[in-house]
């Protein structure tokens, strides 16, 4: 790689924090994924874990994201212990 | 117009044929739209000002007809690290393996190093900025190539826009249909790029069943490259087809010529499902990079985005120096039927003719 210097950290996007007690401790699956950086492609990722109830609302719609921890299923090599999941990409396991 | 190819999707979009081209090339989009089909331009990589410019460019050439824009809405986002932290996480053994591949195949260094410091960033912020352009421009159809568009549906409908979502599982389709999405693209495992693991012939009728009695149109995707595929998709109950690989080698396509030649030569088994490019599993055409990562001596593929950082020099070098033998591109299993470099208009008319032949054949037997 010839690029070695990082630009300044990008500021965090504005979001509103919140907590939904009804989601706290609920087990859920997330049909996740995101844009693959540097490409025109997207990549799917599947997670299963427990929602903490913490959420973040982005944008004016709002676009709600829940924090999932205690991951029991995650993509191979996924290096984090938690993941933020778009609300509508979640399926609550107890509701199936 | 009536006939076996006239579906409710044709009325919904005011088009002649229920064929949707998904493309990253504006010229292809315009050609397909002006030939009576529909086109959705993939803009996931572009910044808002580029998206706005592309929309204007298309509008100036299609005389009031409708078109669509596709973005990737993230649906899961881990905590980010800085690029330098990521670079430091690539093991030395993986660097050595990358260098070994480059030496073995004489892979040139790219003319300009991939600008990894400007990749990605904050997913939600990026998506929201892109969406604002789509809303400002009142793009007739917004398609989400990955995440759920549920959160934006109300605003889009208020602006008179249609909202589509691409799914790989019936349960994702059920959610979209439940919220009143205008279209669901049921994408099978045959497809290019990121796919679910359900085959096209299995997922399409399931999604059709879920959408029955609703206003949601179902588009079949994954391996659709001929008129027979179109006829089959309609027989499964779909309202139309979503096609991608078909247009990569069209005359209008901006895919570079050696890569077009590579795609024209490709067979179904060359469209491999692998995570060696980005760490995410996706279907792309086989290249020496794929072969080496499938070999017994290859280390484990790294997680995203480390694997993409690792592969980026190989990919950029192959493009910069027109090395057809090294190139790779997202392509579906239907690539077997993509054998000529034809104008997009002719590709569309060939599909339509073949599909009509299928229906004529069945009608004659009846």
């Amino acid at each position: 790689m010839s690029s070695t210097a990082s630009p300044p950290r990008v500021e965090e996007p504005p979001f509103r924090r919140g907590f939904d007690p009804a989601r706290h401790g609920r087990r859920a699956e997330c049909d996740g994924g995101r844009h693959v950086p540097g490409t025109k492609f997207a990549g799917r990722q599947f997670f299963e874990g427990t929602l903490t109830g913490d959420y973040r609302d982005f944008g004016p719609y709002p676009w709600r994201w829940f924090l999932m921890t205690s991951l029991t299923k995650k993509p191979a090599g996924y290096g984090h212990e938690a993941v933020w999941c778009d609300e509508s990409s979640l399926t609550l396991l107890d509701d199936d | 117009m009536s006939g076996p190819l006239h579906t409710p999707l044709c009325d919904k979009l005011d088009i002649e044929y229920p064929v949707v081209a998904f493309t990253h090339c504006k010229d292809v989009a315009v050609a397909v739209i002006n030939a009576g089909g529909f086109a959705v331009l993939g803009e996931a990589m572009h910044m808002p000002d580029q998206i706005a410019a592309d929309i204007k460019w298309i509008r100036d050439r299609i005389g009031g007809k409708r078109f669509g824009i596709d973005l990737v809405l993230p649906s899961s986002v881990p905590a980010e690290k800085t690029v330098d932290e990521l670079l430091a996480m690539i093991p030395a053994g993986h660097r050595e393996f990358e260098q070994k591949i480059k030496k073995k195949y004489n892979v040139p260094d790219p003319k300009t190093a991939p600008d990894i410091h400007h990749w990605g960033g904050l997913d939600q912020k990026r998506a929201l900025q892109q969406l604002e352009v789509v809303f400002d421009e009142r793009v007739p159809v917004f398609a989400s190539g990955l995440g759920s568009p549920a959160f934006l549906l109300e605003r889009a409908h208020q602006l008179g826009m249609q909202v589509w979502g691409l799914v790989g599982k019936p349960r994702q389709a059920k959610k979209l249909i439940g919220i009143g999405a205008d279209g669901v693209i049921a994408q099978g495992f045959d497809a290019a790029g990121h796919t679910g693991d359900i085959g096209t012939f299995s997922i399409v009728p399931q999604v059709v069943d879920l959408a029955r009695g609703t206003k949601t149109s179902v588009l079949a995707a994954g391996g659709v490259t001929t008129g027979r595929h179109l006829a089959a998709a309609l027989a499964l109950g779909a309202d139309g087809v979503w096609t991608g690989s078909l247009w990569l080698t069209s005359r209008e396509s901006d895919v570079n010529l050696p890569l077009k030649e590579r795609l024209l030569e490709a067979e179904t088994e060359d469209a491999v499902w692998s995570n060696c490019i980005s760490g995410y599993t996706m279907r792309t055409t086989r290249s020496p990079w794929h072969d080496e990562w499938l070999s017994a001596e290859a280390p484990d593929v790294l997680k995203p985005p480390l694997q993409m950082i690792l592969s980026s020099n190989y990919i950029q070098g192959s493009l910069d120096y027109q090395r057809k033998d090294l190139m790779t591109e997202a392509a579906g299993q239907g690539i077997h039927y993509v054998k000529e470099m034809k104008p997009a208009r002719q590709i569309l008319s060939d599909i339509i003719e073949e599909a009509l032949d299928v229906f004529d054949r069945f009608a004659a037997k009846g």
Side-chain angles (χ1 to χ4, degrees):
Chain A
M1 292 291 161
S2 61
S3 300
T4 52
S6 279
R9 277 182 183 273
V10 183
E11 64 181 71
E12 281 211 317
F15 56 77
R16 297 169 297 285
R17 299 171 196 275
F19 179 76
D20 180 356
R23 299 291 181 109
H24 174 69
R26 300 291 299 273
R27 290 191 47 72
E29 292 176 343
C30 175
D31 289 320
R34 60 196 291 222
H35 179 243
V36 179
T39 74
K40 62 188 177 189
F41 306 124
R44 292 191 189 281
Q45 291 189 314
F46 180 81
F47 299 89
E48 184 182 296
T50 303
L51 302 177
T52 66
D54 296 291
Y55 68 78
R56 292 175 172 181
D57 282 346
F58 292 84
Y61 314 99
W63 192 9
R64 181 160 293 185
W65 290 68
F66 280 98
L67 183 63
M68 179 188 282
T69 59
S70 305
L71 302 178
T72 50
K73 288 183 186 169
K74 59 183 180 180
Y78 184 78
H80 306 276
E81 299 304 317
V83 60
W84 288 96
C85 298
D86 160 48
E87 180 177 28
S88 49
S89 300
L90 286 168
T91 301
L92 296 175
L93 292 176
D94 339 353
D95 287 355
D96 277 350
Chain B
M1 180 192 164
S2 62
L5 301 186
H6 189 87
T7 71
L9 184 72
C10 297
D11 297 326
K12 219 170 184 175
L13 299 172
D14 199 18
I15 55 176
E16 285 185 69
Y17 310 116
V19 175
V20 177
F22 169 69
T23 176
H24 292 93
C25 175
K26 302 188 295 289
D27 298 85
V28 171
V30 165
V32 173
I33 290 169
N34 285 332
F38 190 76
V40 174
L41 188 67
E43 291 276 357
M45 268 191 95
H46 288 164
M47 301 301 285
D49 55 349
Q50 178 67 52
I51 297 173
D54 289 348
I55 290 170
K56 182 178 186 315
W57 194 93
I58 289 176
R59 280 204 161 115
D60 286 347
R61 288 161 177 79
I62 58 174
K65 297 186 184 73
R66 297 180 192 176
F67 65 100
I69 293 291
D70 173 282
L71 297 175
V72 172
L73 301 175
S75 49
S76 62
V77 174
E80 288 287 4
K81 293 181 181 295
T82 68
V83 172
D84 291 332
E85 285 170 334
L86 290 169
L87 288 171
M89 289 169 67
I90 297 178
H94 286 69
R95 287 284 189 207
E96 288 166 13
F97 191 66
E98 176 210 9
Q99 292 304 314
K100 185 182 154 197
I101 295 173
K102 290 185 74 175
K103 188 174 179 185
K104 179 175 178 181
Y105 296 95
N106 191 28
V107 180
D109 284 328
K111 291 177 180 174
T112 307
D115 188 5
I116 59 174
H117 285 114
H118 289 90
W119 283 1
L122 298 158
D123 296 65
Q124 294 98 335
K125 182 179 181 182
R126 175 194 176 103
L128 289 169
Q129 289 172 338
Q130 292 173 321
L131 277 172
E132 281 311 299
V133 177
V134 172
F135 286 134
D136 286 348
E137 296 289 341
R138 288 173 162 72
V139 170
V141 173
F142 168 72
S144 169
L146 181 81
S148 169
F151 70 95
L152 58 83
L153 194 84
E154 186 179 348
R155 182 169 175 198
H157 281 175
Q158 284 169 352
L159 295 171
M161 297 165 53
Q162 294 185 36
V163 176
W164 297 358
L166 187 147
V167 302
K169 291 181 181 177
R171 81 172 183 196
Q172 295 165 339
K174 189 176 180 181
K175 286 183 181 179
L176 284 181
I177 294 164
I179 60 165
D182 302 283
V184 171
I185 304 140
Q187 187 198 48
F189 183 62
D190 313 31
H194 67 289
T195 77
D197 49 13
I198 302 174
T200 304
F201 251 63
S202 295
I203 192 170
V204 172
Q206 288 185 60
V207 175
V208 167
D209 288 345
L210 291 168
R212 186 167 292 122
T214 72
K215 292 181 178 174
T216 305
S217 301
V218 177
L219 289 96
V224 180
T225 44
T226 71
R228 284 175 287 164
H229 291 120
L230 169 58
L234 298 185
L236 291 173
D239 298 293
V241 291
W242 171 276
T243 56
S245 305
L246 192 54
W247 312 100
L248 291 171
T249 61
S250 65
R251 287 213 190 139
E252 294 87 346
S253 164
D254 57 5
V255 169
N256 74 45
L257 197 57
L259 184 50
K260 282 185 180 177
E261 291 170 358
R262 170 72 187 111
L263 290 163
L264 291 169
E265 293 163 3
E267 287 299 329
T268 295
E269 53 267 35
D270 292 322
V272 291
W273 201 53
S274 166
N275 59 356
C276 72
I277 298 292
S278 65
Y280 292 99
T281 309
M282 58 174 62
R283 190 178 302 288
T284 48
T285 53
R286 181 186 293 274
S287 73
W289 182 265
H290 294 75
D291 293 339
E292 292 299 324
W293 283 93
L294 285 169
S295 68
E297 60 183 293
D300 290 340
V301 167
L302 296 172
K303 65 184 179 182
L306 302 182
Q307 188 70 18
M308 191 69 225
I309 292 172
L310 204 57
S311 67
S312 60
N313 274 348
Y314 169 96
I315 293 170
Q316 194 60 49
S318 74
L319 293 170
D320 284 352
Y321 289 89
Q322 308 277 298
R323 287 284 301 276
K324 186 174 90 172
D325 59 319
L326 302 175
M327 289 175 171
T328 181
E329 172 62 280
Q333 293 184 326
I335 197 72
H336 166 80
Y337 291 103
V338 180
K339 288 288 174 261
E340 288 181 73
M341 199 182 301
K342 299 186 285 192
R345 182 184 66 252
Q346 187 185 339
I347 294 172
L348 181 62
S349 69
D350 287 352
I351 288 175
I352 298 305
E353 286 301 316
E354 190 181 29
L356 288 171
D357 283 347
V358 171
F359 286 109
D360 285 349
R361 191 151 35 91
F362 280 105
K365 284 179 182 172

